[in-house]
Amino acid sequence: MKPDRTDRPRPATRAGLLLALLAVLFAAFPSAPAGAAPVKAPGDDFKWSVVPSSPKGPTVRSRFEYGLKPGEEVSDWVGVSNLGTEPLKVSVYATDAFNAPDGGFALLPASEQPKDVGAWITLPRKDYTVPVGKRVDIPFKVKIPANAEPGDHIGGLIASATGSATNEQGQQVNVERRVAARVYLRVDGPSVPAAEITKIDTQYDNPLIPFGGGDMTVTYQVANTGNVRFSGKARIEVRGPFGIRLGNSEVIDIPELLPDSEIRISRKVEGVFPAGWLKAQVTVNPQIDNTTLSLTQSRSMWAVPWLIVVVLLLIVALLLFWLFRRWRSRRQPALPDFDGSGEAVTVEAGSTARGVLLVAVALVLFGAPAATSMGAPAGLEPTSGVDIAVSIAPATTSPTVSPTPTVSPTVSPSESPSPSPSPTDGNGGGGDDLPRTGLAIGAFVAVGAALVGGGAGLRVLGRRRNGANAR
C-alpha cells in the first residue's frame, strides 16, 4: 500500500516556512537605520592623561597638595600627555570639587563657575594642542585670598576634549570627555572637624510567616559640617523591645567626605524578626587627622507579627468566652432536682425567680385547659404504663396550684389498663375523669413544666420572705 502523498509538505509550503524563519531571524537582529551612525565619542580615538608635573617633566606626585596661609601664592606645573593616534585639542581649566550623592568624587560642569579653589587657580591660556605621543607641561599659579576660610578646599585641574558625533537618530551632539588631577589645598587656621547624621529612613518587608524574619533597608545621610575632609566607618544595628539585638550590618566604609558635602548610604539588614517596636541605630565613626569621632542616630518603627497576634487574639477570645459562660452559669438558677421525698431542691436565683413564677402561672392558665380538652383518639392505646392524676382547684379569685403531683401505681403493659378513679374537687363533689395523656404529650410537658417552675418559684419566694421576717 502506497503512503498518502497528501500528508507530505509540498515544495511551496517548505519555501514559505523557510521565508518565515528568515523573517523571524531578521526581526530578532535589526540593522541600524539607513543614514545613521553610532555615537563616537572623542575619547574613542583620543586618549590622554593629566598628572602633576614640573619644568622637567612629571614627578612622583599623584595629586596636587598644598598647605598655604591666607594671601600666600604658589606656582606649579600640570602635564597633559597625548596617548592616542591623532593630535589632541584640549581645554585646560580648574574647578571646584564636591561629593556626589553616592559619595563619589565629582567636579563642577564646565558651564558652572567655580567659587572656591577653582577660582584661585589661573593658567596662561585655556586651549592647547598636543601632538601624538607628546606631552605639554602647562604652568599655573595658586593664589590664596586674604579672607580665605581656614580648612580644606578641594578642586581639580581638568583637560577636556569636545567633539561632535551622530547619534542613532541622525542628530549631531557634542560629547565632552574630561580627565582631571585632584587639588587638595588646606588654608592655615583652626581646624573644626564636625559631622552629622542628617536623616534616617527605614523600610521593612514584614513577612506573613514571621519566624524567618524580614529584610529591613536602612538609608541614612552623613554630612560634613566642619572645615576638613574625613573618611570613616559605619555600622547599623536593629534592636527590639528591651534592647534585644535582632540584626546588624557589616562594617560600612564611608568614602572621603569633603567639607559642606553630604552623602547618602543605604544598606539592607536581613533576617530581622518583627518583634513589634523596632529601632534602627546607625553609628558613624569619622576619622579626621588621626582623631576618631562617634555619631549615633536612630529611627524607630512598628513591625507587628500579624500571624502571632491573630493567634493570641483567638486564644484570648476563647478564654474570655469561657470565663463569661462560667460567670453566667453562676448567675443563673440551677435546674430543680428532686430528692427522695419528692420535694423540689432549688438554688436562689435573684430576680429570675419572679420570671420563673410568672411563666409557670401562664403555663398553668393556658396549658391546663388545653390538656383537659385533648383526648386520645378512639382505638389508640397509651404508649406509657404510667397514669398521672392532677388535682386543680376551681379558679375563684386567683388560681392555686398544687405543687406535688399524685402518682398512681404502675400498670403492667400486659394487663388491660383500667380508668383512674375520678378526683374530687375542693368542695367534695365529684369531677369528670381526666383523659389519658397518650398523644397529648405537648400538653403534658407544658403542665409538668408549669408545676415544676411554679413550685421552684414559690419555694424561693418563701425563703426570701422568711429571711425578711427574720431581719
Side-chain angles (χ1 to χ4, degrees):
M1 181 177 180
K2 296 182 179 181
D4 190 359
R5 298 181 62 87
T6 59
D7 297 338
R8 300 179 182 178
R10 296 183 180 181
T13 305
R14 295 177 182 177
L17 293 174
L18 181 59
L19 290 176
L21 180 60
L22 292 176
V24 171
L25 293 176
F26 183 77
F29 301 97
S31 59
V39 175
K40 178 185 286 187
D44 295 340
D45 293 330
F46 300 95
K47 297 180 181 179
W48 66 100
S49 65
V50 179
V51 294
S53 186
S54 69
K56 297 181 181 181
T59 61
V60 294
R61 297 178 297 174
S62 61
R63 59 188 184 184
F64 298 100
E65 293 190 49
Y66 307 105
L68 303 175
K69 298 178 181 179
E72 192 174 357
E73 181 179 338
V74 66
S75 297
D76 209 337
W77 298 77
V78 59
V80 180
S81 301
N82 185 356
L83 307 177
T85 57
E86 296 182 10
L88 176 66
K89 294 181 179 181
V90 294
S91 297
V92 181
Y93 60 95
T95 190
D96 298 336
F98 64 97
N99 283 105
D102 60 352
F105 186 91
L107 297 170
L108 295 177
S111 59
E112 188 172 347
Q113 293 295 326
K115 299 179 180 180
D116 199 59
V117 66
W120 303 344
I121 298 175
T122 58
L123 294 100
R125 69 176 190 269
K126 185 175 182 180
D127 297 327
Y128 297 88
T129 299
V130 184
V132 178
K134 300 297 181 177
R135 182 188 71 253
V136 175
D137 295 320
I138 305 170
F140 66 91
K141 293 182 178 180
V142 181
K143 186 176 182 180
I144 311 300
N147 60 349
E149 295 181 358
D152 288 336
H153 302 266
I154 317 299
L157 274 167
I158 299 173
S160 67
T162 304
S164 62
T166 304
N167 60 13
E168 296 181 355
Q169 288 74 29
Q171 299 173 346
Q172 293 292 326
V173 295
N174 291 327
V175 180
E176 180 185 17
R177 289 190 62 183
R178 306 193 302 176
V179 180
R182 300 186 183 187
V183 178
Y184 288 87
L185 171 63
R186 175 167 291 188
V187 178
D188 289 350
S191 298
V192 183
E196 183 181 355
I197 302 175
T198 59
K199 186 178 181 181
I200 297 179
D201 291 327
T202 56
Q203 292 183 352
Y204 182 69
D205 297 331
N206 200 338
L208 179 61
I209 301 177
F211 302 105
D215 296 339
M216 175 179 286
T217 302
V218 181
T219 303
Y220 60 97
Q221 296 180 189
V222 181
N224 186 347
T225 57
N227 62 358
V228 291
R229 67 185 187 273
F230 67 82
S231 58
K233 306 290 184 180
R235 188 179 180 89
I236 300 173
E237 289 185 348
V238 180
R239 297 184 178 274
F242 309 105
I244 300 175
R245 191 175 67 176
L246 302 176
N248 59 270
S249 68
E250 72 284 358
V251 177
I252 304 169
D253 293 326
I254 298 179
E256 186 179 64
L257 189 58
L258 308 181
D260 298 328
S261 294
E262 189 173 20
I263 60 174
R264 183 172 179 267
I265 302 175
S266 180
R267 287 295 185 274
K268 180 183 292 185
V269 181
E270 300 179 350
V272 177
F273 182 79
W277 187 250
L278 303 182
K279 183 175 71 172
Q281 179 175 298
V282 178
T283 302
V284 178
N285 296 320
Q287 297 176 358
I288 306 172
D289 296 337
N290 299 325
T291 301
T292 302
L293 304 179
S294 182
L295 306 174
T296 302
Q297 192 75 359
S298 62
R299 177 71 181 270
S300 301
M301 64 175 298
W302 280 102
V304 181
W306 295 112
L307 181 61
I308 298 178
V309 170
V310 170
V311 172
L312 291 178
L313 289 178
L314 290 176
I315 295 175
V316 171
L318 292 175
L319 179 61
L320 292 177
F321 179 74
W322 177 77
L323 292 175
F324 174 76
R325 291 289 301 272
R326 186 176 180 182
W327 172 80
R328 188 176 180 182
S329 63
R330 290 180 177 180
R331 297 274 298 181
Q332 290 180 348
L335 294 177
D337 194 7
F338 291 95
D339 56 9
S341 62
E343 295 183 355
V345 179
T346 61
V347 180
E348 242 180 274
S351 61
T352 54
R354 292 188 293 270
V356 173
L357 180 60
L358 294 176
V359 172
V361 173
L363 289 176
V364 170
L365 293 178
F366 294 101
T372 56
S373 62
M374 296 178 61
L380 291 180
E381 295 293 335
T383 58
S384 174
V386 180
D387 294 335
I388 298 178
V390 181
S391 299
I392 302 177
T396 56
T397 58
S398 60
T400 57
V401 181
S402 174
T404 305
T406 303
V407 182
S408 63
T410 303
V411 180
S412 174
S414 60
E415 299 177 359
S416 174
S418 59
S420 300
S422 300
T424 58
D425 55 17
N427 298 329
D432 296 334
D433 293 340
L434 291 175
R436 304 182 66 85
T437 56
L439 298 179
I441 190 66
F444 168 72
V445 172
V447 173
L451 293 175
V452 173
L458 291 176
R459 186 168 185 179
V460 170
L461 290 177
R463 289 181 177 180
R464 286 194 171 186
R465 292 176 179 176
N466 292 337
N469 295 333
R471 293 177 185 177

